Amino acid sequence: MGKKLVMAQKRGETRALCLGVAMVVCAAITYYILGTTVLPLYQKSVWTQESTCLLVETNIKDQEELEGRKVPQYPCLWVNVSAVGRWAMLYHTEDTRDQNQQCSYIPRNLDNYQTALVDVKKVRANFYKHHNFYCFSAPQVNETSVVYQRLYGPQILLFSFFWPTFLLTGGLLIIAMVKLNRSLSVLAAQK
């Protein structure tokens, strides 16, 4: 009876040890993936200075109004603000500026023009409701644009690294408990 109990205990310890090691390995792989994808985007983000923006004017531009340039077929919200003592063009996120420098906000649904127009009007009405709001600007003096929402801020970085850290801690605790259990069982067997 005692030998069967010891064999079952060893199998359980081996399985728990394998689980702990698998959790540590998964955490290491996740850290590598996040370190090569999210971390460089966070380090490249220049929009670090939080400031208060004051709405100056907004305008919804259609394709015909965009100076004859080739642009996508969707309504374009253009927002001009006063921030950090200067006038600036407001962009919804860092990616909005890269997609189209003439638009402050690009609607989510680009398939249907009327749905996109309703979305743009809703965002414009929200800006008129709140004339003062927080925005992010680049510390460079000659920068004439600000961002409403950072995609790659410290909160996103913290949230991204929370679960791998939790997984790593759990795996290390499981390994430590198995090792502690083995040493305590050896001590108990000696007495």
Side-chain angles (χ1 to χ4, degrees):
M1 177 76 175
K3 192 168 187 161
K4 286 184 183 179
L5 182 64
V6 170
M7 291 300 290
Q9 185 178 7
K10 281 190 177 186
R11 269 186 274 150
E13 285 177 353
T14 305
R15 288 178 183 160
L17 196 60
C18 287
L19 174 67
V21 169
M23 289 172 69
V24 170
V25 168
C26 285
I29 291 170
T30 308
Y31 276 132
Y32 174 75
I33 291 170
L34 290 175
T36 57
T37 56
V38 175
L39 197 58
L41 293 173
Y42 172 75
Q43 290 173 334
K44 260 187 2 186
S45 178
V46 296
W47 311 99
T48 56
Q49 185 178 356
E50 187 173 351
S51 56
T52 304
C53 286
L54 176 66
L55 181 68
V56 175
E57 65 178 316
T58 64
N59 189 10
I60 297 176
K61 297 181 179 182
D62 288 321
Q63 184 185 13
E64 297 82 31
E65 298 178 35
L66 294 175
E67 303 166 4
R69 295 184 185 158
K70 187 176 179 182
V71 294
Q73 298 274 348
Y74 55 82
C76 175
L77 179 65
W78 179 79
V79 180
N80 198 1
V81 295
S82 173
V84 197
R86 62 182 185 269
W87 288 47
M89 172 86 170
L90 177 75
Y91 293 101
H92 185 239
T93 62
E94 294 114 292
D95 290 346
T96 307
R97 182 178 182 204
D98 296 337
Q99 290 174 359
N100 188 349
Q101 289 194 354
Q102 295 177 340
C103 292
S104 295
Y105 176 76
I106 298 173
R108 291 185 186 135
N109 185 5
L110 299 178
D111 297 334
N112 187 346
Y113 184 83
Q114 293 303 321
T115 307
L117 185 62
V118 167
D119 188 25
V120 167
K121 286 182 179 180
K122 188 188 300 183
V123 170
R124 181 182 186 189
N126 197 19
F127 276 121
Y128 278 123
K129 259 194 246 180
H130 309 286
H131 284 276
N132 291 334
F133 50 89
Y134 289 109
C135 58
F136 296 95
S137 60
Q140 292 98 1
V141 178
N142 59 353
E143 186 64 47
T144 60
S145 57
V146 293
V147 173
Y148 179 69
Q149 180 182 13
R150 284 182 73 184
L151 287 179
Y152 313 110
Q155 296 88 2
I156 299 299
L157 196 66
L158 181 67
F159 183 74
S160 297
F161 282 98
F162 172 75
W163 287 111
T165 303
F166 187 70
L167 194 64
L168 178 69
T169 306
L172 290 175
L173 281 174
I174 289 173
I175 293 171
M177 287 190 308
V178 168
K179 294 294 185 183
L180 180 66
N181 186 27
R182 280 186 182 170
S183 63
L184 288 177
S185 65
V186 167
L187 283 175
Q190 287 176 354
K191 289 186 179 182

